[in-house]
Amino acid sequence: MSHARFPQPSRRGILAAGGALGLTALLAACGDEKKSGSGKADAGDSGPWSFKDDRGTTAKRDATPKNIVAFTGVAAALFDYGVEVKGVFGPTKTKDGKPDVQAGDMDVSKLTILGNEWGKFNIEKYAGLAPDLLVSTMFDTAGTLWSVPEESKDKILKLAPSVGISVYDRQMTQPLQRLLALAESLGADVKADKVVKAKKRFEAAAERLRKVAKANKDIKVLVGSASQDIFYVSGTNLSADLEYFKSLGVNFVEPSEAAKKASGGWFENLSWENVNKHAADVIMMDNRTATIQPADIEKPTWAKLPAVKAGQVIPRVTEPIYSYDKCAPILEDLADAIEKAKKVS
């Protein structure tokens, strides 16, 4: 699907990349190496490492993992805490070679990219990194690691322990806390001045958004995503960012449950002819590179929307980088948009 908007089972089935074939010997050899404890990442470390993830699974190593591979957005969050990864999978570079929005502050030129779009994963490159930990987010209750291809996951997951951080049906403060805990287990100084200041900034931003939302209860916010043929309107349930914003009092447009049923509860599909179905004063649009951005939407019905005509369209960071440093500005920008918005619906 071109919209790449929301996680859903059908999307995994369509986009998940096929695993490399003919790697049995290579994977077996790599597995033997890891069992022998001869991996380079273990050199100079002492003491066992373990972390219980959101699947209830405990990842274990004889020493703190060093050769870490992670979904791009997760890697960016770990980077903010001083933990660097060897490889990434997921949107990392744009077509012109610049960092994708999900890459955060990482120097993408120094990363081994195993796949530059959702569901792409080069197993040979992964094995070559001698990984001792794989980390990704999860968007369901089944423990599916985001962007790890279903058809090759068994080959991938046999190479190293894995950690899944859930961002499904909970508020964003939970994955923030979990990634901070993971970073600490991997050696991050969570009491560093930078980390403490970022957390305080996030807390202040949350309180400000709460006050702004209360003072502007009549401002309706619609969350959308654009593809060539369909406009997607998100509901606030299931998404960690929207659930949190709603808890702070933001007045969101909510598609009916019946309308969301076809997408597993995530969003409502609208044709561009019916894009004006929901009245809104502010529109938050999916900022991921796989979606059409507002400046590139040429549909006449879009241009006629009151919020669009009023210039009250802002990005939605659909897959947040779950560090306090990256999430604080998201809250600040939403508070600014609501506070400045004119009632146009």
Side-chain angles (χ1 to χ4, degrees):
M1 289 183 186
S2 62
H3 67 280
R5 176 62 180 84
F6 296 96
Q8 54 180 305
S10 60
R11 181 175 182 274
R12 291 193 179 91
I14 295 171
L15 294 182
L21 300 176
L23 289 174
T24 305
L26 174 62
L27 300 182
C30 188
D32 291 342
E33 179 184 8
K34 303 311 290 181
K35 290 177 183 178
S36 71
S38 61
K40 182 178 179 182
D42 292 347
D45 290 334
S46 60
W49 171 89
S50 67
F51 186 85
K52 187 174 182 179
D53 74 359
D54 292 338
R55 298 170 296 183
T57 300
T58 299
K60 298 179 180 180
R61 297 294 301 177
D62 291 337
T64 303
K66 297 298 181 185
N67 288 356
I68 304 167
V69 172
F71 179 73
T72 304
V74 173
L78 292 174
F79 182 85
D80 285 346
Y81 295 124
V83 178
E84 297 191 29
V85 305
K86 297 292 185 180
V88 295
F89 54 98
T92 306
K93 288 183 179 180
T94 58
K95 292 180 180 179
D96 57 4
K98 295 180 180 179
D100 186 89
V101 292
Q102 296 190 61
D105 294 332
M106 295 188 296
D107 184 347
V108 296
S109 68
K110 295 181 179 179
L111 297 171
T112 297
I113 301 174
L114 306 179
N116 197 40
E117 60 184 88
W118 189 91
K120 298 294 184 182
F121 198 110
N122 188 313
I123 306 178
E124 290 174 312
K125 279 188 178 182
Y126 180 57
L129 292 173
D132 44 26
L133 181 65
L134 182 146
V135 190
S136 191
T137 48
M138 300 184 299
F139 285 87
D140 59 27
T141 57
T144 307
L145 295 178
W146 189 237
S147 202
V148 173
E150 281 292 306
E151 56 267 44
S152 53
K153 68 177 183 180
D154 291 341
K155 292 179 180 178
I156 294 168
L157 297 181
K158 71 184 289 187
L159 293 177
S162 61
V163 165
I165 301 296
S166 180
V167 296
Y168 175 78
D169 197 17
R170 62 199 58 208
Q171 296 181 17
M172 74 187 310
T173 47
Q174 291 178 268
L176 276 168
Q177 292 164 1
R178 296 292 286 145
L179 269 166
L180 181 66
L182 175 61
E184 183 177 22
S185 79
L186 294 170
D189 180 4
V190 298
K191 295 182 180 179
D193 189 54
K194 177 185 176 182
V195 177
V196 172
K197 285 183 177 179
K199 191 171 187 294
K200 287 182 178 179
R201 180 184 173 186
F202 176 86
E203 291 167 349
E207 185 57 30
R208 177 169 175 250
L209 180 56
R210 186 192 304 276
K211 291 179 179 178
V212 168
K214 185 176 181 180
N216 298 273
K217 291 181 179 180
D218 61 332
I219 297 298
K220 296 181 180 179
V221 180
L222 181 147
V223 181
S225 183
S227 71
Q228 187 60 40
D229 299 316
I230 301 173
F231 184 80
Y232 304 87
V233 179
S234 175
T236 57
N237 60 319
L238 306 183
S239 297
D241 60 332
L242 302 185
E243 285 199 10
Y244 185 52
F245 303 156
K246 185 178 181 180
S247 77
L248 295 174
V250 177
N251 181 10
F252 284 104
V253 169
E254 294 282 5
S256 68
E257 291 303 313
K260 293 185 295 182
K261 187 175 181 179
S263 67
W266 290 93
F267 55 85
E268 175 183 11
N269 299 352
L270 292 178
S271 66
W272 283 102
E273 288 74 20
N274 296 316
V275 74
N276 63 348
K277 177 180 177 180
H278 300 288
D281 304 294
V282 174
I283 300 177
M284 299 178 70
M285 289 294 290
D286 190 344
N287 75 331
R288 292 179 293 180
T289 50
T291 66
I292 301 175
Q293 296 305 298
D296 299 319
I297 298 175
E298 299 177 346
K299 307 291 185 180
T301 49
W302 166 260
K304 293 178 182 178
L305 293 177
V308 175
K309 292 198 292 184
Q312 295 174 178
V313 178
I314 64 171
R316 178 203 176 189
V317 183
T318 307
E319 289 186 53
I321 294 169
Y322 283 101
S323 72
Y324 290 103
D325 182 71
K326 295 298 181 291
C327 286
I330 297 174
L331 274 64
E332 292 167 349
D333 291 346
L334 180 55
D336 285 344
I338 293 173
E339 191 170 51
K340 295 174 183 177
K342 297 177 181 178
K343 183 67 179 175
V344 294
S345 65

